[in-house]
Amino acid sequence: MASTSATGQTYNNTNVLGEVLQIGATRNTGQFVAAISGNGVRRVDAQEFAMSATYSLDAANQNVISENTSLSAGTAQFYAKSQEYNVVQISKLDFASSDLRESATQQLDTTNIDAGGMAPTNSEFDRAASNAMMQFNADWEYSALQGTYVARSAVGTNVAMGGLTDSTVGISTNTVSASSASLSKALIDTLAVEMMDNGAQLIRPAFVCRPTYVPQLSEIYGFQPQSWDMGGVALKTIMTDFGEVGVIWTNAAPANTMILADLSYIRPVVLPQPNGQDVAMVEYVDGASAKKGYIQGFIGIDFGAESYHGTITSLA
């Protein structure tokens, strides 16, 4: 079941027998944030921050002048820079468990008086805190990949980070439309060539996509030698003309889209809390007969220059 907007009580959040297991699509998230976290977390001291200042050189040409011209001063030129920004958003999840729920550990339903000690006695408040942390991380990954940018404007504005595929601050230079066609090597090659033409480095590239496209990548690039006792492929790295490309699948990726991201330029961003913590997990008392808490972070994503990454959109 999904979340319920209420305090956990003995009537709406009774105890259970058996192992508690997470299900649902959100369970299979986290690989992207885990991959970019290896670059370290970027800590900023303002809600809006600069990801990069980009410039481009002129098209290469044959730069030549005569000896006579060389005796005079030439016309000076410089290469203007353009600032690329993003913001951190306030992400917060609250949770609470009534004191009665914390004490009545053997209440299995609204009428069962006692389960005879068979039910687990773990704190439901602690479980709620753990669930909130997992949800927080999943939401961060979703926002980093497909969050919609909302700039600072007023106190009442829900300022929001722009994800990699956002139309305002995200990928716009290198994008190929599949026009509802299936993923193919031709589409991938077209995107890779476009990225190289526009100056992408592809230092540590990775395909980032939903699980539905992982078998298609295996069909395109996989090769299974003949064997009596083993079949299939499990691609982790794909060899291309422009380098080795990793594969990251996550249910937080946008639908009908394949992202080719250069992980070497992507970092999670935090504006530290007043107490110095990157993300705060707070338990507080307000006079109510319940344990209450929340997890809060001022979080964002820094992906350098958007032209270092690319997308194939409108896939079947």
Side-chain angles (χ1 to χ4, degrees), residues 168-239:
T168 302
V169 300
I171 299 167
S172 60
T173 301
N174 305 311
T175 182
V176 175
S177 175
S179 300
S180 299
S182 297
L183 184 65
S184 66
K185 186 175 184 298
L187 284 170
I188 294 172
D189 287 347
T190 298
L191 175 62
V193 170
E194 183 174 308
M195 291 176 68
M196 301 309 290
D197 284 345
N198 288 315
Q201 300 296 299
L202 293 182
I203 296 172
R204 190 159 65 96
F207 291 118
V208 183
C209 60
R210 290 197 173 190
T212 186
Y213 297 113
V214 177
Q216 295 182 35
L217 286 172
S218 293
E219 285 289 329
I220 295 170
Y221 293 102
F223 172 74
Q224 169 60 39
Q226 291 184 347
S227 173
W228 289 105
D229 56 2
M230 182 178 294
V233 295
L235 293 184
K236 303 300 181 185
T237 304
I238 294 173
M239 301 294 295

Side-chain angles (χ1 to χ4, degrees), residues 62-112:
Q62 189 170 7
N63 182 358
V64 58
I65 58 175
S66 69
E67 180 182 1
N68 187 53
T69 302
S70 71
L71 299 177
S72 303
T75 302
Q77 61 186 41
F78 71 96
Y79 302 91
K81 300 182 290 294
S82 176
Q83 195 80 71
E84 295 193 21
Y85 291 99
N86 208 338
V87 296
V88 296
Q89 64 190 33
I90 303 173
S91 290
K92 183 182 179 186
L93 292 169
D94 293 84
F95 46 90
S97 180
S98 73
D99 289 347
L100 180 60
R101 174 62 186 85
E102 290 295 290
S103 296
T105 60
Q106 300 305 298
Q107 189 83 40
L108 288 185
D109 56 45
T110 58
T111 59
N112 193 322

Side-chain angles (χ1 to χ4, degrees), residues 7 10 18 101 120 139 170 177 197 211 241 246 285 290 294 305 308:
T7 297
T10 57
R101 174 62 186 85
D139 293 345
S177 175
D197 284 345
D241 293 317
V285 177
Y294 64 85
Y308 285 178

